[in-house]
Amino acid sequence: MKHLLIDGRLVETERTYPSLNPATGEEFDRAPDATTDDAERAVAAARRAFDTTDWATDRQLRIRCLEQLHTALVEHGDELRELTITEVGATRQLTHANQLDVPIEIFRYYADLLRDYPMTEELAEVEIRGQTHRRWIEKEAAGVVAAIIPYNYPNQIGFAKLAPALAAGCTVVLKASPDTPLTTLALGELIAEHTDIPPGVVNVLSSSGVEVGALLAAHADVDVVTFTGSTATGRKVMEAASKNLKRVFLELGGKSAMILLDDADFDLAAMFAAFMICSHAGQGCAITTRLLVPREHHDEIVEKVAANLGRVTYGDPSDPNTYMGPLISEKQRDKVDAMVKRAVEAGAKLVTGGERVDPGYFYTPTLLAGVDPASEIAQEEIFGPVLAVIPFDDDDDAVRIANDTIYGLSGGVQSADPERAIALARRIRSGTFSINGGNYFAPDAPFGGYKQSGIGREMGVAGFEEFLERKTLAMVVG
């Protein structure tokens, strides 16, 4: 069993709860169940570390610690890989990409950024009443950060919050998802055992209920809340944080559209769309879950996508040949299945899939055709391997349908004409966008959404600056 990390110490708890292997549905270990008292101690430790140590001002210490943590993650990567496969249900091949190996480089990126990032900025001198005034801006750490992460990509999302916060000089209380606690607690153990990060700078908690997260979001000693999860929960986090006007970063839901223009390579696009929706069993906020196709080619494209979905291998995520693993829980599978059934009742055609597979929490790759763009399945995030095909009449109609949602996280377009594709991409209200399969995901690329997909950006320079305050200073110099 893993331990909480509070004030530099690895802590056991009286209460524990089971962590399940979603590929089998069986318990494989138990996780510490933090109480609100544990959370209070973690916040107090982070507050003390920020207010009374030189963590926020010692740039070289922060660089060294980020490099140490990067090295520890690389050296213990195989252990973390096996844990991620078992607890998250991520496939082995996905851990060599966005579930583990690519996110590890986030720590190196921010260590390198911190070396040269200007923490001061000179403004022009001004003359006021015969005196010369020098003016400048200094950038300072924002303070104590509460970072609350979901189950789907716990390594990537946890690293994307922790690394820039530490680089900026903040102290952090990182709360794991109740569904994937051990993967995040393993990060805390590496910090405690393999880095010089001072006590209290990083605290890592896991809990089975909502009380700890609610406490962190509303706590008066927390200066910044960074939350990734559903839009519904994000609204509650924002409401809790508003009581003391703390800074809030939210990375929330998505209902992203992949648009196939009439000059696209339909064979290539159908393969891309099919395998995208099955990546991590569709449990990704930026996955394109709506496929917008020219009306006159609807049936042709549906047939091609269905054929590709039939090629998706699913099952044991530890098998290197498995492309798609399970959903995280029976509760999530119930949600997905219920939404598919309601979509069919509302008039969508179930082309393939829509079946549970046991043991574990597997759900077959699912294709719904002729979907009404105003229907639930086209408007609400599903977080499962379910693709909704929606016909459109022309480019303007495609843009209208793609933008007609409360979300604005991601999307994509396929076209033989790059200029046409770029012009359409610029009309979509989303924070990220893929043109002809372009991959925007990397440590240096800001990630986040428009509208109710969130507030702020993660990764890149923008992600670093989320954790900085700006102070303007002026002094008479002549």
Side-chain angles (χ1 to χ4, degrees):
M1 189 180 83
K2 301 294 183 183
H3 301 81
L4 307 179
L5 176 61
I6 300 177
D7 204 8
R9 294 176 53 247
L10 295 174
V11 178
E12 293 185 1
T13 60
E14 292 185 7
R15 302 186 311 183
T16 63
Y17 68 99
S19 181
L20 305 182
N21 179 341
T24 64
E26 298 176 353
E27 177 181 332
F28 78 96
D29 204 344
R30 298 191 70 81
D33 198 357
T35 64
T36 53
D37 286 344
D38 293 320
E40 287 282 5
R41 290 193 294 121
V43 172
R47 185 81 264 166
R48 177 195 53 75
F50 185 80
D51 291 342
T52 66
T53 76
D54 60 357
W55 174 257
T57 57
D58 191 337
R59 186 190 295 229
Q60 292 307 312
L61 172 62
R62 302 201 303 274
I63 292 171
R64 183 172 83 246
C65 289
L66 287 167
E67 291 178 333
Q68 289 172 338
L69 186 48
H70 175 266
T71 298
L73 287 165
V74 171
E75 292 178 347
H76 294 265
D78 287 343
E79 301 162 37
L80 194 52
R81 188 181 319 282
E82 298 307 318
L83 180 56
T84 302
I85 291 168
T86 302
E87 185 177 55
V88 182
T91 59
R92 185 170 299 280
Q93 57 181 269
L94 200 52
T95 65
H96 288 285
N98 293 355
Q99 279 284 6
L100 182 60
D101 288 359
V102 172
I104 284 174
E105 296 309 307
I106 294 172
F107 287 98
R108 182 193 295 275
Y109 168 77
Y110 281 110
D112 291 342
L113 177 68
L114 188 54
R115 285 186 175 87
D116 300 317
Y117 182 87
M119 299 299 281
T120 62
E121 177 185 344
E122 291 288 335
L123 302 175
E125 290 187 352
V126 295
E127 295 289 332
I128 301 175
R129 297 189 180 91
Q131 292 181 310
T132 300
H133 295 251
R134 177 197 169 205
R135 303 171 304 145
W136 72 99
I137 298 168
E138 293 188 358
K139 301 168 188 177
E140 303 174 347
V144 175
V145 174
I148 304 170
I149 65 173
Y151 65 78
N152 58 329
Y153 284 82
N155 294 315
Q156 187 273 316
I157 297 170
F159 299 173
K161 295 184 186 302
L162 182 62
L166 295 181
C170 295
T171 59
V172 181
V173 180
L174 175 63
K175 182 192 173 295
S177 164
D179 292 306
T180 56
L182 303 179
T183 302
T184 301
L185 293 174
L187 174 64
E189 293 190 349
L190 291 177
I191 289 170
E193 296 171 352
H194 297 280
T195 76
D196 295 328
I197 294 176
V201 169
V202 180
N203 307 269
V204 185
L205 305 176
S206 63
S207 66
S208 60
V210 300
E211 295 82 7
V212 167
L215 181 147
L216 294 175
H219 204 292
D221 282 336
V222 170
D223 301 295
V224 180
V225 177
T226 171
F227 169 82
T228 298
S230 72
T231 295
T233 304
R235 294 187 189 108
K236 295 177 182 177
V237 169
M238 195 170 188
E239 181 181 2
S242 71
K243 294 174 182 177
N244 41 42
L245 296 180
K246 60 172 57 66
R247 182 182 296 186
V248 177
F249 168 84
L250 301 173
E251 198 274 282
L252 305 175
K255 196 64 187 176
S256 304
M258 171 62 69
I259 302 170
L260 307 191
L261 297 182
D262 53 16
D263 61 351
D265 181 334
F266 293 157
D267 289 324
L268 181 62
M271 180 181 68
F272 186 81
F275 280 83
M276 169 66 78
I277 196 62
C278 294
S279 178
H280 196 35
Q283 298 171 114
C285 51
I287 288 175
T288 45
T289 57
R290 294 181 294 160
L291 182 64
L292 276 54
V293 304
R295 192 176 301 277
E296 64 271 23
H297 296 289
H298 175 274
D299 293 350
E300 172 192 355
I301 294 170
V302 165
E303 184 177 344
K304 292 178 184 295
V305 174
N308 279 284
L309 286 175
R311 299 186 182 102
V312 173
T313 57
Y314 61 89
D316 180 5
S318 67
D319 185 336
N321 296 315
T322 297
Y323 182 79
M324 188 183 87
L327 294 170
I328 192 64
S329 66
E330 187 68 31
K331 177 182 177 182
Q332 180 60 23
R333 186 166 66 169
D334 286 345
K335 175 196 170 186
V336 170
D337 191 48
M339 287 185 71
V340 169
K341 285 181 168 57
R342 290 197 298 270
V344 173
E345 292 171 359
K349 178 184 178 182
L350 178 61
V351 179
T352 187
E355 299 176 355
R356 302 165 181 261
V357 179
D358 297 318
Y361 309 127
F362 294 93
Y363 199 75
T364 53
T366 300
L367 183 63
L368 296 166
V371 172
D372 180 346
S375 65
E376 178 194 45
I377 201 70
Q379 291 290 325
E380 296 298 325
E381 189 170 47
I382 188 167
F383 246 52
V386 180
L387 184 62
V389 182
I390 302 171
F392 65 84
D393 295 320
D394 54 26
D395 290 16
D396 289 342
D397 194 36
V399 170
R400 179 189 63 79
I401 294 170
N403 285 334
D404 186 20
T405 167
I406 65 170
Y407 301 109
L409 187 57
S410 192
V413 63
Q414 298 275 340
S415 172
D417 182 347
E419 293 306 314
R420 181 185 179 193
I422 292 170
L424 184 143
R426 288 176 173 148
R427 298 173 65 190
I428 304 300
R429 298 279 297 165
S430 69
T432 57
F433 203 82
S434 171
I435 300 170
N436 288 338
N439 183 6
Y440 52 76
F441 182 83
D444 63 344
F447 180 84
Y450 289 16
K451 300 190 283 186
Q452 293 188 42
S453 283
I455 299 170
R457 293 295 181 267
E458 251 171 9
M459 300 194 294
V461 175
F464 176 64
E465 292 177 341
E466 291 287 346
F467 298 101
L468 293 176
E469 292 280 13
R470 286 168 172 78
K471 178 182 293 182
T472 301
L473 300 99
M475 179 174 67
V476 175
V477 294

